[in-house]
Every structure is written in structure tokens, then in C-alpha cells.
Amino acid sequence: MVVAAIFFALMGLFVKLGAQHFSSTELVFWRTLIGALALGGAALWRRERFATPLLRYHLQRGVIGYVSLLMSFYAIAHLPLAMASTLTYTSPMFLALLSVVLLREKLPARAMLGLALGFAGVVLLLRPTLSGDVWFAGLMGLVSGFLAGWSYLHVRELGRQGEAEWRVVFYFALISTVGGLLLMCLERWHAVTWDNAWLLLGVGVTATLAQLAMTRAYKVGRKLTTANLSYLTVVFSSLLGALVWGDVLTGDSLLAMGLIVVSGMLASRR
């Protein structure tokens, strides 16, 4: 999970750099295309079966996850890297909330406290953006976290149905690639050149390696420990933002990020 956190942070770095040359739609397209080709090629090499009786769940998860990824990339392009990453990691608290609303699950007091802390952190983190010109990017980051939490409900259901992990990741990448291709037909494509191709390759490779490392971590590790370690992405993103762009986080921002991280940890313990 530590390896996954490093690669997710590096993916954010490549996304932010790539946003100078490509739209968020294009970045998501190339990111998922590379993942679909890599995972599909590996599956063909191992002679895996692509057929699945759970296509409906894959489609639902793929569409929701794709929109979440699109909004996440937009937030990364327009916000400090650490802030955008933190908003994306509101997904565990939204997952807990949706489990109550949609699945009628009961949350312990500890998880309810986590939700309260998390929403307080969101308000504190977004407060500066609401009075500036990046409020829309902050909203997109928050909605991305909500949709990611919703998509994890489908991932959990796929796991309960016994779906192979590689198929869960592959169909998400495939559906997102098709969705990206359709959207890109509605906007102008930016030329891929030797000067910017490395950015697209960086986004795709780091995202795929991060996804594989995360899947492996959840498969062989303790679920709670793995979930908590995932928040290292926020730490690594903060370091990259400071090193590359000189981002300086205020005391309020650090407090807000801490509240959101603690919220996710408490929500994961339910």
C-alpha cells in the first residue's frame, strides 16, 4: 500500500504537469487506455476468461468511477496537489454514509464521529476556495470523492459475488476508455508529440502500477491497516506539491486535511 500511495501521488504529479498540454478528458482517456491495454494483454497472456455474468455491476461501477476520475483530474489540474488528493480521499466517509442510506447499515458511534470530523474538515478545507476563483475545482474534487465512495459499493458487491480482481480493474479501465473516447469526439484533440507523450505515459503507467499494488495490498494484507496506509498518498502529494510548485499549506489547511484523514480511518473501522 505504501508503494501504491507513492505511485498515486506520482500520477497526480503527471496529471498536473499534463494539464498544461491536454484537457482532463484526454488525460483520463490516455490513463485508462494504457491500463486497459496492459491488463488486457496480461490477461490474454495468462489465457484468462473475459466473460462475466456480472456485466451490469461492471457497467454501473465503470460509469460512476469514470465520472469520479474525470472530476478528480480536473481538481488536480486546478488546485494544489495536496488539497485535490485530500478531497478525493473523502470517499471512505461517503462510502460509510451511502452504506447507511442505501444499504440500511448501522454505523457505530466511532464511525459517526468520523463522519462529523470529516465534514468539518471538508468545510474548513474548502472555505478559502469558495471566496476565490477555484471554487468550482474544489466542488469537483468533493463530488469526485462522493462518486468514488459510491463506486466502491459496486466494487464491494463484485467482491461478494466472487468476481476476479483483475476483471474488476480491467472492466473499469475499458468502460472509462470507451467513455473518454466518446467525450473526446465532442472536443478538440491536442496533438501528442515527443515533447508531451512522456506525460501521458507517466499518467498511465503510474496509475496502473498503483492500482495493481493497491489490489495486491487489499488481497494479502489486513484491510484496516491497508486502508489507513492509503492516506500516505496525501502526505506524498503534499511533499511533491511543495518540491515541484512550492505549495505552502496554511495551518487551517493542515488541520482540515488531518480531520479528513482521521475521518476516513474511523469510517474504515466500521
Side-chain angles (χ1 to χ4, degrees), residues 58 61 155 158-159 163-173:
H58 283 293
R61 188 262 169 151
V155 172
L158 286 166
E163 184 65 293
E165 294 163 347
W166 75 267
R167 272 201 294 266
V168 174
V169 180
F170 169 75
Y171 275 109
F172 166 65

Side-chain angles (χ1 to χ4, degrees), residues 87 90 93 116-130 142 252 256 259-260:
L87 289 172
T90 56
M93 58 187 242
L117 291 175
F119 284 111
V122 168
V123 172
L124 188 60
L125 187 64
L126 290 181
R127 188 179 61 181
T129 69
L130 295 178
L142 185 60
D252 286 349
L259 288 174
I260 292 172

